[in-house]
Amino acid sequence: MVTAAMVAVVAIVAVVVLYLVYRGGSTAPDSAASGSGYPHVAGEPSVGAPAPAFTLNSGDGRPVSLNDYRGRTVLLYFQEGLSCQPCWDQIRDLEQNQSALRAAGVDAVVSITTDPATLIGRKAADERLTTPILSDPDLAVSRAYDANKYGMMGDMRDGHTFVLVGPDGTIQWRADYGGAPDYTMFLPTDKMLADLNTERIQ
């Protein structure tokens, strides 16, 4: 026979369970706020290592060197190129969030991919992008940064790698987002900055 005491106990247990479920749901955003929630790894060369030097042709035909950014903090964005529209959307999102990048201490963004410079230039013009996009057709720079291990196309193209190089040429932060099995090809700039601000070492 069900007594009033048993009903009260069941009601109390139900309230406690509901509270715990609610509390768990309400704390999830707080824990996710400390990072992007997007899975990533940090490949080699890693934080604290000298960033490999390079000089590559940009889409507008001019050579661009990492040394051109000495004394500034530059975010290198390795991406899959012409076949990856989300990668171009990523560049657009970075351009639209320049104030947030500056607030995070990022002075400049440079993108690197493996397509020919002329085709990159045409695509950038079509997309109305102003970010320097550099051509690395033989993957020499991509391999130096080990950025061609995280994409859907195997090691023949880059994945979705961000490398933050400090004013002294040292890597301050790195995140490789494009690896299997999720193959993240776009993440909002604020999510990327959440990881940068959490993981960066100066």
Side-chain angles (χ1 to χ4, degrees):
M1 184 172 177
V2 178
T3 66
M6 293 174 66
V7 170
V9 168
V10 169
I12 290 169
V13 168
V15 168
V16 169
V17 168
L18 286 173
Y19 170 75
L20 291 174
V21 168
Y22 169 77
R23 184 179 172 195
S26 66
T27 57
D30 290 338
S31 60
S34 64
S36 69
Y38 286 76
H40 59 283
V41 298
E44 298 288 339
S46 59
V47 171
F54 62 79
T55 299
L56 295 170
N57 287 327
S58 68
D60 63 8
R62 64 187 174 90
V64 175
S65 299
L66 180 60
N67 197 50
D68 296 339
Y69 295 91
R70 197 76 171 182
R72 295 192 285 166
T73 299
V74 59
L75 182 67
L76 305 179
Y77 167 47
F78 291 86
Q79 45 106 351
E80 288 199 18
L82 297 174
S83 61
C84 176
Q85 184 57 43
C87 298
W88 299 89
D89 296 340
Q90 181 76 75
I91 297 171
R92 177 176 296 102
D93 195 64
L94 289 165
E95 290 188 0
Q96 291 173 345
N97 287 277
Q98 288 183 19
S99 59
L101 288 166
R102 285 193 297 271
V106 178
D107 299 314
V109 176
V110 174
S111 182
I112 299 171
T113 188
T114 59
D115 294 306
T118 53
L119 298 181
I120 291 172
R122 192 174 308 151
K123 177 68 171 176
D126 290 344
E127 297 281 341
R128 294 182 172 85
L129 300 173
T130 59
T131 299
I133 304 171
L134 312 184
S135 174
D136 181 28
D138 61 1
L139 277 83
V141 175
S142 300
R143 290 192 182 103
Y145 281 85
D146 219 15
N148 61 316
K149 289 191 172 180
Y150 304 96
M152 298 178 69
M153 307 297 290
D155 62 3
M156 62 187 288
R157 282 191 176 270
D158 296 325
H160 199 81
T161 291
F162 291 95
V163 178
L164 188 71
V165 181
D168 64 351
T170 299
I171 295 174
Q172 295 184 345
W173 173 73
R174 175 176 181 146
D176 303 279
Y177 292 92
D182 298 315
Y183 294 115
T184 299
M185 302 315 296
F186 173 88
L187 71 159
T189 297
D190 65 327
K191 298 295 186 182
M192 182 271 294
L193 289 176
D195 289 333
L196 186 154
N197 289 327
T198 301
E199 302 161 3
R200 179 180 187 177
I201 297 176
Q202 296 189 29

